[in-house]
Structure formats: structure tokens, C-alpha cells
Amino acid sequence: MIDYAKLLIPRKVVELQLMAGDETPASLPISVRGLNAVDFTNLLGEYSEELGLIFDTIEDLEKPNEAEIQTVVIQILSKAPELIADALVLVTDYELPRNVLTQMSITHQLQLVSGMVEITIESNGGLKKLQEVVVSVVRKVGLQNRQEV
């Protein structure tokens, strides 16, 4: 029998650090997963230009370390905040409403996006393999969109 669980994108619990009203540190666990083909297609339909810019930014990275991923995440947040909000809704499987995600602190958004990026890269065989496929698709869609105009 096939173990279908091995085909699923893994999840990661991101602990968002909160300050309770009495200044007692607390945390809120949020489960995120990587982007899948359906997510990517939906985002590409809405944000093809922004995704093109993002993948141009990461195209030259070989094996990014955590600092490089954080830098890319910050660039993505600055270039495409609406894309990030929509992606986070998808990778949290609608656990958090979009209006909550858009009002979170940058620190919390960075934590969630970092988890999403990490799992997306790992579950697709590494950054290079993911880049090859995604950059090709983004460029094709971008060319099609330009030809339609």
C-alpha cells in the first residue's frame, strides 16, 4: 500500500512570541507548510510581475543560508506585501484570516514567511531545482502576459 503521507508537503510549527497583558512572555504556535503547485498557480495568476522580481532576486543564490533567506524575505515583504499576505493565508491553510496576517508585526510575518520559504525549498529538492522550474514558468507567463497586451 502507498504511504500517501510521504507525498505531502511537510509542515513546520512556528512559535510566534507574544507578550501577555501582564508582560509574561507567551507564544502562539502556527503551523505552516510550503507552497504547492496549486498555491503557486493561484499566486502567479495574481502576482506574475512581483514573482518575476522575486525570482530574479534569488536566481543567483546557490545554497542560501538563513541570513540570505531573511534578506530575500525582507525584499519580498517590501516589494510585494499583498503577495505575502495571500501566500500566508494559503500556507496556514486559512488558520489565520488575511486581515489578521496583514496587521501582524513585521517580526511575526518574517517568522511565518521564513518557515514557508524553508519548507518550500526543502520539499522541492533544493533551491536550484525549485528555481529552474519556477523561473521558467514565471518567464513563460510573463511573456504571454506581455503578448496579450
Side-chain angles (χ1 to χ4, degrees):
M1 177 174 262
I2 297 174
D3 182 3
Y4 293 108
K6 292 180 180 179
L7 297 173
L8 301 177
I9 296 174
R11 300 192 74 79
K12 177 179 184 168
V13 175
V14 177
E15 295 283 340
L16 301 180
Q17 298 304 311
L18 309 171
M19 291 302 287
D22 61 357
E23 300 299 318
T24 305
S27 67
L28 175 65
I30 302 293
S31 177
V32 297
R33 61 175 171 76
L35 292 167
N36 62 32
V38 173
D39 300 330
F40 184 72
T41 302
N42 288 334
L43 293 170
L44 186 59
E46 184 71 26
Y47 302 104
S48 62
E49 187 174 321
E50 291 89 342
L51 283 167
L53 291 171
I54 291 164
F55 280 96
D56 285 345
T57 301
I58 65 170
E59 194 170 15
D60 296 328
L61 296 177
E62 286 293 323
K63 288 189 170 190
N65 58 37
E66 191 157 328
E68 289 173 319
I69 289 175
Q70 287 288 346
T71 300
V72 170
V73 168
I74 290 169
Q75 289 176 349
I76 293 169
L77 279 170
S78 68
K79 290 179 182 177
E82 298 300 316
L83 164 64
I84 293 301
D86 287 346
L88 288 176
V89 168
L90 295 171
V91 301
T92 59
D93 293 324
Y94 300 88
E95 183 178 348
L96 295 172
R98 190 178 196 285
N99 66 325
V100 171
L101 288 162
T102 58
Q103 295 178 47
M104 289 178 135
S105 71
I106 293 171
T107 302
H108 290 154
Q109 289 178 346
L110 283 172
Q111 287 177 285
L112 293 172
V113 171
S114 293
M116 172 188 70
V117 169
E118 179 185 325
I119 295 168
T120 300
I121 290 170
E122 288 174 6
S123 65
N124 284 285
L127 183 60
K128 209 61 175 167
K129 189 178 244 183
L130 178 63
Q131 285 174 331
E132 290 170 5
V133 173
V134 173
V135 169
S136 171
V137 171
V138 168
R139 287 195 175 130
K140 286 178 186 174
V141 169
L143 288 174
Q144 289 173 350
N145 287 345
R146 286 187 204 125
Q147 289 173 355
E148 292 173 3
V149 175

